[in-house]
Amino acid sequence: MNGLPSPVFPELRLLDSYCSGSFVMFRVASKHRGISCPDCGQWTERVHSTYYRTVQDVPLCGIKVFLRIRVRKFFCDNPSCERKIIAEQFDDFICPSQRKTNRLNDVLLGIGYSLGGNPGVRLASLLGISVGKDTLLRKIKSCAVPEPQDSIDVVGIDDWAYRRGQRYGTIVCDLERHRLVDVLPDRTVTTVATWLKEHPSIRIVSRDRSSSYADAIRQGLPNATQVADRWHLLKNLGDAVERYFAAHQVPPREEPISEPAEQSLSAKALPTKKEQEQSHRREAKCELIQQVHELRHDGLGIRAIGRNMGLSRQTVRKYLSLTEPPQTTQRQSRKTLLDPYREKVIEMLSRDQTGPKILKQIREQGYKGSRSTLSQYLAELRRCMAQGQIPLPVRRHRVTPRSAAKLLITPDADVDDEDKPYLAKLLAEVEHAQVVQTLARSFKELMDRHDSQGLEGWLKNALGCGVREIRSFAEGIQQDFSAVAAGFLGPWSNGQVEGQVNRLKTLKRQMYGRAGFTLLRARVLHRA
Ligand SMILES: [Zn+2]
């Protein structure tokens, strides 16, 4: 064991060691015979007293390690020195009043930054380090976050939801170095402006379209160029088109095969054998009544008609009192056990599935009826389909304003073939869709071409286009014109900020939202 810790702590020598089941204790002392007085610099070896100090060190094979350090106090023998007593310090590996070595603290900080409170405590315990959650978190919070060394030139700022809809923070990224610079606890003008003032090297700030960031930049860095972020501009455009569709009726999207359209089978339900007999009897009766009327018309009496037709006089009288043939009662749509599976059956039939397969399928879905009921049903269905009475089933999808907007804005070359018929339908059926499409696409094209001069012409068209949602989008552009033009021209965009926000959210989720902002900021910046 002799000399074991010395490669790591060259100032110490090992006196002895003690090993219990749960920990190892190394008794160590300074290698030097004396020390220099920190005030006057005079060397002294005259010991005043000795005491022991116990600190925890990094574990050994999962076993806790303690160092029991013999600390000496010396006299300063320089008569002109104010200081009389000097205690030994071991600043290289342990700070005064700390109960853990610096290298153990570094390990704990690493664990804390990566895992946060409780998971960090669990990992530490597995490794053989005992630490409480509060201690771990305190260590992270108290650790100073290093300021970036190089001066920042171009930043992107954006907000992120600390708690969605309730609390938002601000994230600042160095757009040149693709690095997170800082997170701020809120998105108020004061906070952001103050932060910007402290970073006067910033020349360009890319931001979303909110007026609060615009104000903050004006206050904090009045000379900085504001850039309306392209990503946000496109998002605003998409939102405007979505609002336009929300204000209009978006037609449903139809896809063949699945659900029958309006003409459902139950409206023209298939007659059963019994119903067929009933209908025959009804026809026969109508004929009978007609004959009774004809005989009466020929001048026969009631009794004679009765004898002739084999009817009672009462029945003949009743039939004669009817001025028109009895109404064949409109058959109500018949409920069958197959009703719940109708769509499935039609869909399978249209895919040329056989009866037994269909039976198997719907039995799995809970059909309790017999095989013959299904066969009759299928026979009738096939007949109706052959006669074109049942149109090929069509599925109608409700299309959200959002996806309609997305489709409308997509450049022609990028529209999928299967989307083309629906896009044509949108353009044909929704009022002004053509105008909205032209304006939205040309906005995007101007942006792609970095054409900020074309923007003015676009604005004129959009302001006069007669579609409220597009007009108000254009008005917003007009008010923020210089920043938007800068966004069109320049290379800067907040695209990468989005990624940083996602990283931030992952960290935040790991912390279950319980840890405060300081801790979150410490961990985020440590990672950056
Ligand atoms: Zn001294």
Side-chain angles (χ1 to χ4, degrees):
M1 286 305 257
N2 200 11
L4 187 66
S6 60
V8 189
F9 297 135
E11 305 299 305
L12 292 178
R13 67 197 163 93
L14 180 68
L15 301 176
D16 54 32
S17 63
Y18 167 77
C19 187
S20 88
S22 58
F23 66 89
V24 186
M25 172 91 78
F26 294 110
R27 213 159 58 87
V28 291
S30 170
K31 267 183 177 173
H32 306 289
R33 295 182 61 82
I35 56 172
S36 303
C37 171
D39 285 359
C40 67
Q42 181 164 312
W43 182 260
T44 167
E45 294 183 5
R46 197 157 70 88
V47 175
H48 166 271
S49 57
T50 300
Y51 69 96
Y52 279 92
R53 182 177 169 194
T54 307
V55 294
Q56 197 181 356
D57 195 13
V58 286
L60 195 66
C61 306
I63 301 169
K64 282 176 205 160
V65 170
F66 292 97
L67 299 179
R68 191 158 166 76
I69 307 167
R70 194 178 76 188
V71 186
R72 292 169 294 175
K73 286 182 173 172
F74 294 92
F75 291 105
C76 180
D77 287 328
N78 181 355
S80 60
C81 182
E82 288 283 306
R83 189 188 280 266
K84 298 293 170 238
I85 309 286
I86 317 149
E88 275 182 310
Q89 300 290 340
F90 304 94
D91 287 347
D92 285 349
F93 69 95
I94 175 158
C95 296
S97 78
Q98 279 286 321
R99 300 180 61 187
K100 293 184 170 67
T101 57
N102 292 346
R103 61 183 182 186
L104 179 61
N105 273 329
D106 288 347
V107 170
L108 284 175
L109 264 182
I111 293 176
Y113 279 133
S114 316
L115 294 176
N118 282 325
V121 169
R122 280 197 293 276
L123 176 64
S125 144
L126 276 176
L127 293 173
I129 309 165
S130 49
V131 65
K133 189 183 94 178
D134 292 340
T135 313
L136 191 61
L137 297 183
R138 205 170 45 238
K139 274 188 198 306
I140 302 171
K141 283 187 201 169
S142 64
C143 195
V145 175
E147 276 285 311
Q149 293 301 303
D150 6 79
S151 73
I152 317 162
D153 213 21
V154 186
V155 292
I157 56 178
D158 207 340
D159 58 7
W160 56 279
Y162 203 82
R163 204 157 279 154
R164 187 169 287 284
Q166 288 181 27
R167 205 176 140 199
Y168 288 85
T170 297
I171 188 168
V172 189
C173 292
D174 183 334
L175 294 185
E176 284 177 303
R177 297 180 184 84
H178 292 255
R179 201 178 55 196
L180 189 147
V181 180
D182 211 341
V183 282
L184 314 180
D186 56 51
R187 54 178 178 183
T188 58
V189 174
T190 323
T191 306
V192 179
T194 309
W195 189 93
L196 289 171
K197 252 178 221 158
E198 289 162 3
H199 297 79
S201 66
I202 297 171
R203 283 185 310 116
I204 298 171
V205 186
S206 172
R207 53 149 171 93
D208 64 7
R209 309 284 314 292
S210 77
S211 57
S212 68
Y213 282 153
D215 290 346
I217 301 165
R218 255 192 302 278
Q219 287 182 21
L221 295 170
N223 293 323
T225 306
Q226 298 198 21
V227 178
D229 171 49
R230 286 202 296 276
W231 186 87
H232 281 101
L233 277 170
L234 285 182
K235 185 174 179 299
N236 294 153
L237 173 68
D239 290 347
V241 179
E242 185 182 341
R243 277 197 301 278
Y244 152 77
F245 274 119
H248 292 71
Q249 197 94 42
V250 182
R253 187 171 175 146
E254 290 178 346
E255 272 174 17
I257 297 181
S258 251
E259 197 178 286
E262 281 90 80
Q263 198 175 14
S264 72
L265 201 63
S266 73
K268 40 173 30 265
L270 314 166
T272 60
K273 210 173 234 172
K274 194 175 154 204
E275 280 174 331
Q276 282 172 353
E277 284 168 7
Q278 278 175 348
S279 123
H280 288 153
R281 272 204 297 270
R282 208 165 26 237
E283 277 168 28
K285 193 172 173 184
C286 284
E287 221 165 284
L288 197 67
I289 293 168
Q290 189 111 26
Q291 281 175 9
V292 170
H293 276 264
E294 276 167 9
L295 289 175
R296 181 66 174 174
H297 194 74
D298 291 346
L300 264 71
I302 288 171
R303 189 184 299 259
I305 296 170
R307 252 199 321 270
N308 219 316
M309 306 279 300
L311 297 169
S312 71
R313 276 172 296 170
Q314 208 180 349
T315 309
V316 175
R317 251 185 235 112
K318 194 177 97 191
Y319 283 2
L320 284 174
S321 71
L322 295 171
T323 49
E324 49 189 70
Q327 284 289 317
T328 48
T329 46
Q330 195 64 47
R331 196 157 42 79
Q332 292 297 306
S333 70
R334 185 171 40 85
K335 287 245 158 65
T336 91
L337 287 170
L338 282 156
D339 279 343
Y341 314 102
R342 193 180 62 239
E343 290 154 18
K344 183 78 194 161
V345 172
I346 292 180
E347 188 246 330
M348 290 187 78
L349 258 190
S350 59
R351 283 192 283 119
D352 288 330
Q353 301 276 349
T354 58
K357 264 200 184 151
I358 297 176
L359 185 67
K360 184 165 177 266
Q361 270 279 328
I362 59 176
R363 282 239 163 104
E364 274 168 15
Q365 292 179 13
Y367 170 63
K368 296 275 194 300
S370 69
R371 178 199 300 258
S372 64
T373 308
L374 179 68
S375 318
Q376 277 180 27
Y377 196 75
L378 290 181
E380 183 63 22
L381 266 179
R382 286 202 184 94
R383 194 178 57 77
C384 291
M385 283 168 107
Q387 292 174 354
Q389 286 170 336
I390 302 176
L392 263 188
V394 161
R395 174 175 284 164
R396 310 180 123 226
H397 297 287
R398 205 177 69 84
V399 177
T400 59
R402 185 168 192 77
S403 39
K406 210 174 151 196
L407 185 59
L408 194 74
I409 298 176
T410 309
D412 267 332
D414 298 337
V415 178
D416 288 341
D417 281 342
E418 58 187 28
D419 289 335
K420 279 177 182 159
Y422 182 68
L423 179 59
K425 185 174 177 180
L426 273 184
L427 289 170
E429 292 183 13
V430 186
E431 202 188 2
H432 301 310
Q434 201 88 50
V435 178
V436 174
Q437 186 191 44
T438 310
L439 282 169
R441 282 182 175 180
S442 58
F443 186 82
K444 220 171 136 187
E445 281 161 19
L446 288 171
M447 186 183 282
D448 290 343
R449 288 205 308 265
H450 300 286
D451 184 354
S452 64
Q453 298 194 318
L455 188 59
E456 285 183 52
W458 183 91
L459 262 184
K460 205 176 284 170
N461 288 338
L463 288 169
C465 75
V467 180
R468 196 161 46 105
E469 294 79 12
I470 298 297
R471 205 178 53 226
S472 74
F473 170 72
E475 282 162 1
I477 301 282
Q478 201 175 29
Q479 283 162 17
D480 201 13
F481 190 81
S482 62
V484 174
F488 267 48
L489 274 180
W492 306 114
S493 151
N494 276 8
Q496 51 171 303
V497 180
E498 207 62 13
Q500 300 285 8
V501 168
N502 287 337
R503 231 163 290 166
L504 187 69
K505 284 180 180 164
T506 313
L507 260 183
K508 190 197 70 178
R509 258 178 241 125
Q510 262 182 27
M511 295 159 75
Y512 306 107
R514 285 170 61 198
F517 173 77
T518 323
L519 182 62
L520 179 66
R521 176 171 181 267
R523 288 186 65 188
V524 168
L525 294 189
H526 176 79
R527 287 211 168 172

